[in-house]
Amino acid sequence: MRRVMASAPVEEAPAPVAGEPRADRPKLRTEFAFELPRGYVDDEGKVHHSGVMRLATARDELIPLRDDRVRENSAFLTVVLLARVVTRIGDITDVHAGIIENLFASDLAFLQDMYRRINSEGHTRAGVACPECGHSFVVDVAGGRLGES
């Protein structure tokens, strides 16, 4: 015996109208807060931990290539690029190459990784596993104060 199933008519979603945001697309996040592992120590000895990094533009990646410091030493590219996209470290809103140069190496590595994550992957989350039980979970590597989620 052969069964034939009747299907209900399929409703198609309306086509998006030009200029209107799609309802299923999350809002674009362009700024990402972070907590430096060690912190930037300013000239007065104050330690700054929190900061903000914005998404990079094509211009942010192209302009440093014309910088004489980068032409002389390609390793300086990271410093110039981070100085363009880090908009605040603690109370400091005028973040420039001199500030990035004076970060501790662990903080520089943290910002490099964060830059890669937000500009390549679009987020600051990373999958990790508990070394004792092996349970896998996701953490936000941008950090935060203890007790915050």
Side-chain angles (χ1 to χ4, degrees):
M1 185 169 173
R2 192 171 154 197
R3 287 187 173 174
V4 177
M5 295 183 70
S7 63
V10 177
E11 238 181 80
E12 290 187 27
V17 177
E20 286 186 16
R22 289 181 50 173
D24 62 336
R25 183 177 292 170
K27 185 177 177 185
L28 178 63
R29 186 172 168 196
T30 60
E31 290 190 332
F32 298 81
F34 61 80
E35 291 286 323
L36 293 173
R38 298 225 186 268
Y40 170 70
V41 181
D42 65 19
D43 293 336
E44 297 169 2
K46 183 177 179 184
V47 182
H48 304 269
H49 290 281
S50 63
V52 176
M53 180 185 292
R54 66 171 173 77
L55 283 178
T57 63
R59 174 172 282 200
D60 290 325
E61 294 201 350
L62 292 171
I63 285 180
L65 298 175
R66 296 187 298 199
D67 190 300
D68 289 336
R69 298 168 294 185
V70 174
R71 287 182 181 171
E72 291 174 19
N73 180 358
S74 62
F76 206 73
L77 174 63
T78 298
V79 171
V80 176
L81 185 55
L82 287 174
R84 291 186 61 83
V85 298
V86 173
T87 60
R88 181 180 62 78
I89 297 178
D91 302 333
I92 303 165
T93 56
D94 180 24
V95 179
H96 51 79
I99 289 174
I100 302 297
E101 280 181 299
N102 286 308
L103 289 171
F104 292 108
S106 58
D107 290 333
L108 180 65
F110 170 83
L111 290 175
Q112 286 175 305
D113 183 57
M114 183 172 171
Y115 177 91
R116 182 188 57 77
R117 285 182 186 281
I118 69 173
N119 288 288
S120 300
E121 301 168 16
H123 58 79
T124 57
R125 297 179 306 277
V128 296
C130 173
E132 289 191 24
C133 69
H135 176 73
S136 296
F137 55 98
V138 175
V139 296
D140 189 340
V141 296
R145 300 205 194 297
L146 289 175
E148 290 183 354
S149 55

